[in-house]
Amino acid sequence: MNKLNCLYWEMVEHDAGDAWMIQHFTKVYQYAKIIGQGENLDEGELETLLAAALVHDIGIRPAREKYGDSSGKNQEAEGPEVAKKVLEKVGFDHDAVDRVCYLVGHHHTYDSVDGLDYQILIEADFLVNLYENNSDLSARESAFNKIFKTDTGKALFQKMYVGSESE
């Protein structure tokens, strides 16, 4: 089994009993893959991005335990340490572990995006969160204008959300 499949199963085990979380990271993973391929990431960059997509919310449980809530900042504070252990267990190399931990530690910070992998992770997470949170038209428009930068992410957003307010 390849590293990403092993990591997927590690995350299923980590979130066992929480179908919502497993569904969430699975969807973020798939959108990250589609956007990453559409934006022509090379194989190594794509693997790192997909690893980050699988573990991006790994800090939720430790944040709740330590702070009593799982705000974005608390997830960013607690996630990298937990992610590092899982990534090393699965066999990711040092550079990939460092980058994934950086992304986990910043995936709720939108004002200093430094890399296409970071941008794609944010866009994939937004595509899922806008749907899961049943966001209204105003929130969707704001997210599109402030967050989405890649052509592939914008195209996915447009296909998913433009015109959906006619429900």
Side-chain angles (χ1 to χ4, degrees):
M1 190 173 347
N2 72 32
K3 287 184 290 193
L4 287 171
N5 285 343
C6 289
L7 183 58
Y8 180 85
W9 285 105
E10 287 292 326
M11 289 305 299
V12 167
E13 183 62 33
H14 178 269
D15 289 325
D18 189 346
W20 189 92
M21 276 306 305
I22 295 168
Q23 292 279 327
H24 178 79
F25 71 69
T26 299
K27 290 182 276 189
V28 172
Y29 172 90
Q30 189 58 44
Y31 290 130
K33 183 176 182 180
I34 291 166
I35 299 169
Q37 290 172 335
E39 297 298 314
N40 299 309
L41 291 184
D42 70 35
E43 191 175 307
E45 292 170 322
L46 185 61
E47 182 179 71
T48 300
L49 167 64
L50 296 178
L54 289 171
V55 301
H56 74 283
D57 280 340
I58 200 167
I60 287 177
R61 187 174 26 205
R64 283 185 188 141
E65 291 168 1
K66 186 171 184 177
Y67 305 105
D69 72 67
S70 60
S71 71
K73 289 299 168 201
N74 290 343
Q75 287 180 47
E76 289 179 338
E78 298 304 313
E81 182 180 330
V82 183
K84 181 178 181 181
K85 291 176 186 169
V86 175
L87 293 161
E88 288 175 343
K89 177 181 178 183
V90 171
F92 282 87
D93 67 40
H94 177 74
D95 290 341
V97 171
D98 282 352
R99 183 60 179 169
V100 171
C101 289
Y102 176 82
L103 295 172
V104 170
H106 292 83
H107 78 281
H108 287 287
T109 302
Y110 313 124
D111 60 357
S112 56
V113 175
D114 69 344
L116 189 52
D117 55 353
Y118 188 166
Q119 180 63 41
I120 293 169
L121 178 61
I122 291 170
E123 289 180 13
D125 201 23
F126 261 86
L127 286 171
V128 175
N129 286 334
L130 288 167
Y131 176 77
E132 289 177 348
N133 296 335
N134 198 26
S135 297
D136 64 18
L137 178 60
S138 170
R140 293 192 312 258
E141 286 177 345
S142 178
F144 183 79
N145 291 325
K146 292 178 182 176
I147 299 298
F148 287 80
K149 308 275 188 260
T150 69
D151 290 339
T152 310
K154 287 178 178 180
L156 263 173
F157 179 96
Q158 292 286 345
K159 294 294 182 189
M160 290 174 76
Y161 294 112
V162 173
S164 65
E165 65 275 0
S166 63
E167 297 169 356

